[in-house]
Amino acid sequence: MFGLFKKATLLTTAAGCLALGATPSFAEIKIGSVLAVTGPASFLGDPEKKTLDMLVEAVNAKGGINGEPVTLIVYDSGADANKARTFATRLVEDDEVNVVIGGSATGSTMAMIPVFAENDIPFISLAGAVEIIDPVNSWVFKTPHTDRMACEKIFADLKARGLTKVGLISGTGGFGKSMRAQCLDVAPAKGIEVVADETYGPKDADMTPQLTNIKNTDGLQAVVNPGFGQGPAIVTRNYRQLGIEVPLYQSHGVASKGFIDLAGEAANGVRLPATALLVADQLAESDPQREVVTSYKAAYEEKYGEPVSTFGGYAYDAFMLMKAALETAGSTDGEAVRAAIEGTKGYLGVTGAFNMSADDHLGLDSSAFRMLEIKDGAWTIVE
Amino acid sequence: MLESFLQFTFSGLTVGAVYALVALGFTIIYNASDVVNFAQGEFVMIGGMSTVFLRQDGLPLAAAAALAIVLTTVIGILLDKLAIARAKRASVLSLVIITIGASIFLRGAAQLVFDKQLHRLPAFAGEDPLTLMGATILPQSLLVLAGAAAIFVGLWLFFNRSRTGKAVLATANNRLAARLVGVDTAFIMALSFGLSAAIGATAGVLITPLTLTSYDVGLMLALKGFAAAMLGGLGNPFGALVGGLAIGLIEAFGAGYVSSEYKDASAFLVILLILFLMPRGLFGKKTVERV
Amino acid sequence: MDRFLPSPTARILLALLAILALAPLVFPSTFYYRIFTLISINAIVVIGLVILLGYAGQISLGHAGFVGLGAYANAIGPTHLGLPPLLALVLGAALSAALAWLVGRPILKLRGLYLAVVTLGFGILVQMVLVNESWLTGGPDGMAVEDLGLVSLVKALGLKMKTAQVWYVFSGLMLLLAAWVALNLRDSPTGRALRSLHDSEVAARTVGINVARYKLIAFVLSAVFASVGGSLLALFNRFVTPDVAGFIHSVELVTMSVLGGAASVLGGIAGAALLTTLPQALTVFHDFETVILGLIMMGVAIFMPDGLLPNLANRAKRTRRTNR
């Protein structure tokens, strides 16, 4: 029943190729993708899918990659790792894709890795946790900063302000939990003492009890909130309700305009590490990222009529890395493409400058993170 | 110490009031039809989401809220007329599947009609917290509590003073007998679904400024509301009130005093304990099981 | 033709075997082996629910909790304790049985929806532990599962089969085993006692059947089936996340058993097949996927109250009669 649909698509694509007079040898490039387009992580998967759709359309309008048309096949995992695994198998065995981008969340990514690795398919993940690329699997890459880098960035900013005693309030979802562990791990080395450590569930409606405990902790100098989705917005609002005076830090997990809208007035004064994308119009003329960031932002916002988000930016970089690798390899041969991604040097993306190597399949350093502060409902760069 | 205690109490009561309203919705429909309506949480979602989107279309907040509640009520009645009432031969199990299917359908439809983003409404009475003995409460929380209280009092009057309300109670007690004395039980069913939907939507409108809303908030609310209804004794409106508030308070005190990681666990552990000790729930009907 | 076959049970098992043997002939790609393996594994869990729902008339909203216990037994046992995978599978099933007995004993003396709310709480607790105890379970991002060694075993036997095909055969055999157990149970004295409860508990009680005891047996058995299914899923996927124990998965399982026809083993398998393939088929509809899934669930429950399979069977009988 799926096969039938597939054949129909192939036929139309084939007809399209013939009509355009393209190679009749049928060498289209198939990019597979499994994203959390619906479900609890849809705020990740939705902009990621939209970005990929937009880029594939643009690339095909310019004649494709290596002269071949690009087909994008996206499946929605609903952030369920078991479904993601099944769709990964479908991409490999039924759709016979050449390369894969995706996995919005860490759990889905980890579940899919063996499928792609066993079938020699280059895979760029859009999920956060460091375990995806550490230890390095030769077929697996990722574009988002690791949660560990976010902790380091926040702690460095705290030190600069002379603050060392922090309270943590983390979501119990994959992102919050993983980042909490990384922050606890990296804190001693950065001279930070974690004096309070609370959590909340991903669907919780009120965090005042946890924040009351944090507020009553002796010597508290700042609070860090690893998490994404609605949790951080509610934490921020509860934080102001309780009148907690010390600085509040959010993570790159809420780096979108939506967070400011949801948290309202309470968002003012919140700091977080984020990519240049959020402050595209404030970047210095000389900033090397300025051009790529503003053009992606403009294209996305014009096409979809909604503010661009950091997460779509991860998909942008993944697609561009993959495109460059396919061009360098000059074919869809798995090993050649994989080696080309690994050899990426100096690609300047939306997220930062990527310099991959055999033992670094992320290739970003924390300089790509900008520390932002929300002032009067808008992002500003802290330097 | 007292300050923390009060703060936890405020949190527990606000969240608990919403659980109580969802539990009340379960109770009303269960009484009229023996159906456990797992789409109850979706009514809360539709209430909140439609208000947000009607307001975006330019309606003033009050009008948007009123229209959203009416819209949700219509959806509730349609759920009865198009699905539940048609499944005449269905077992209790099949009815549960129908309502779960309806909840999935409504969630999917909301994702199409609205969007997949989180949304919020402005607080109806300002964002500045009120302070009471060191603890703070938002005016919106007071509105949630007042709204829940008004609904419970209104329903009590409706069931005990009005003719229609008494007919509902009669149907709940014995459907066949009610039909024999001339009660239109099909109408009572539709009324119950409409009423439950309206209550859910009102809860959604009241809570959205505090807790935000999105197309998928219904499921968790349905679970907590169902648990609250069972805790209070399914079928008893007063039990729904107490059950809802109890779960809200247990969660808040659990998070505040015990462990925030296992606060949902504390709520369910209390439910298990109470059901082991008092199987009919706190205020369950003491009727003989009919066979 | 009927008289050449020994019993209805054997006939059902032979039909299943035939389907499993013939299906690969029409598979367009190896991906379909995976789908059918998932169907078999889901069907094993659903057969357990058929025993609980169909034979004993009780509903569980937390059966994914037992699936999660089985799955994580196979993740944690070999990784942290060095247990062989098959032993971990057995221990997981034993743990599930013990917990089902503990939870079920006081609650199954009562009638009505109590098992539903208690199992709901149980499932949520299991998932919560899996999410929170990261040191043991890997937390919300899940953990890898050690290999069962099936493929190397098959290779050692000198057979040339792909991983997907090996699992297809193995899960199919496990499904046949599960179906055989359930069908035999149905025709045993215990099964007859169970079905008499479903019809009328008071009547069963008056003829001297210990109602609570039999319901407890059904619940414990269904937990064992769920746990074994969970272990197989973990071994097949080589990766588990706490989603496997989640409420949504519980609902999917109940829906599978009710849609197919809650009182029949074949119906349960049909329900598992339907709900496992639907999301794959519905990917064509993109954003409309969820809406259509909901509509199908409602439609089947409204228009085919006995479940998909019994309804189609009746319809077939009726047309045959009119044609005659």
Side-chain angles (χ1 to χ4, degrees), chain A residues 30-37 44-45 47-53 56 71-77 83-84 86-92 95 97-104 108 112 116 121-126 315 318-319 322, chain C residues 283 286:
Chain A
K30 280 191 180 178
I31 300 182
S33 188
V34 179
L35 301 169
V37 184
L44 300 175
E48 287 163 0
K49 176 177 185 297
K50 284 177 175 160
T51 300
L52 291 181
D53 282 339
V56 167
T71 312
L72 176 70
I73 302 165
V74 182
Y75 293 125
D76 175 14
S77 68
K83 282 203 184 103
T86 301
F87 281 126
T89 317
R90 184 170 175 184
L91 283 176
V92 172
D95 300 315
V97 297
N98 305 111
V99 295
V100 175
I101 294 172
S104 304
S108 313
M112 292 192 292
F116 302 133
I121 290 177
F123 172 42
I124 304 184
S125 167
L126 310 178
F319 182 85
M322 200 61 100
Chain C
T283 51
H286 296 290

Side-chain angles (χ1 to χ4, degrees), chain C:
Chain C
M1 160 110 184
D2 286 9
R3 81 188 87 116
F4 296 108
L5 288 164
S7 72
T9 300
R11 228 181 295 165
I12 293 175
L13 291 176
L14 280 175
L16 269 180
L17 187 64
I19 294 174
L20 286 169
L22 295 176
L25 297 178
V26 293
F27 286 174
S29 75
T30 44
F31 166 67
Y32 292 75
Y33 285 106
R34 180 182 165 85
I35 289 295
F36 271 70
T37 304
L38 283 177
I39 292 176
S40 291
I41 292 174
N42 280 333
I44 291 170
V45 183
V46 171
I47 287 175
L49 275 175
V50 164
I51 295 175
L52 182 67
L53 286 164
Y55 297 5
Q58 291 287 318
I59 184 166
S60 164
L61 290 179
H63 243 58
F66 296 115
V67 178
L69 285 178
Y72 274 84
N74 268 84
I76 294 169
T79 310
H80 290 284
L81 307 170
L83 300 176
L86 279 180
L87 181 63
L89 181 147
V90 173
L91 287 179
L95 177 68
S96 296
L99 281 173
W101 188 81
L102 272 180
V103 171
R105 217 174 90 89
I107 231 63
L108 284 165
K109 292 187 177 134
L110 314 165
R111 299 197 47 198
L113 286 165
Y114 296 108
L115 190 69
V117 71
V118 168
T119 46
L120 170 68
F122 169 78
I124 288 179
L125 288 181
V126 170
Q127 194 193 15
M128 207 175 286
V129 171
L130 297 179
V131 167
N132 284 334
E133 303 307 319
S134 311
W135 58 277
L136 187 65
T137 64
D141 289 335
M143 67 186 287
V145 178
E146 282 182 25
D147 194 10
L148 179 56
L150 267 186
V151 180
S152 38
L153 183 74
V154 169
K155 283 225 177 86
L157 290 173
L159 295 168
K160 273 190 97 178
M161 283 169 87
K162 287 186 183 175
T163 312
Q165 292 167 326
V166 174
W167 267 96
Y168 174 77
V169 173
F170 179 62
S171 64
L173 290 176
M174 294 298 280
L175 172 62
L176 284 174
L177 179 69
W180 179 74
V181 170
L183 289 167
N184 270 313
L185 177 77
R186 192 183 60 174
D187 300 329
S188 72
T190 310
R192 266 181 240 129
L194 277 172
R195 275 178 295 149
S196 74
L197 323 175
H198 190 196
D199 296 339
S200 164
E201 233 173 72
V202 169
R205 202 175 287 143
T206 43
V207 297
I209 289 171
N210 183 341
V211 171
R213 202 179 97 89
Y214 280 109
K215 281 199 280 190
L216 189 57
I217 292 176
F219 185 53
V220 170
L221 266 178
S222 71
V224 170
F225 274 68
S227 175
V228 171
S231 293
L232 291 177
L233 185 67
L235 289 167
F236 175 51
N237 273 343
R238 304 280 309 279
F239 197 85
V240 281
T241 60
D243 299 324
V244 76
F247 175 71
I248 298 186
H249 191 205
S250 289
V251 166
E252 278 174 1
L253 292 169
V254 172
T255 309
M256 285 175 190
S257 54
V258 176
L259 282 190
S264 89
V265 169
L266 265 188
I269 297 171
L274 180 72
L275 229 66
T276 310
T277 42
L278 259 186
Q280 298 295 327
L282 294 182
T283 51
V284 178
F285 298 101
H286 296 290
D287 284 350
F288 290 86
E289 209 179 303
T290 328
V291 176
I292 295 174
L293 181 67
L295 278 180
I296 291 177
M297 280 175 66
M298 289 167 76
V300 173
I302 293 171
F303 299 110
M304 304 178 178
D306 303 323
L308 195 62
L309 207 69
N311 193 285
L312 291 179
N314 285 342
R315 211 163 277 186
K317 256 183 226 159
R318 245 178 284 144
T319 36
R320 219 180 300 157
R321 227 174 283 145
T322 45
N323 287 348
R324 231 171 252 169

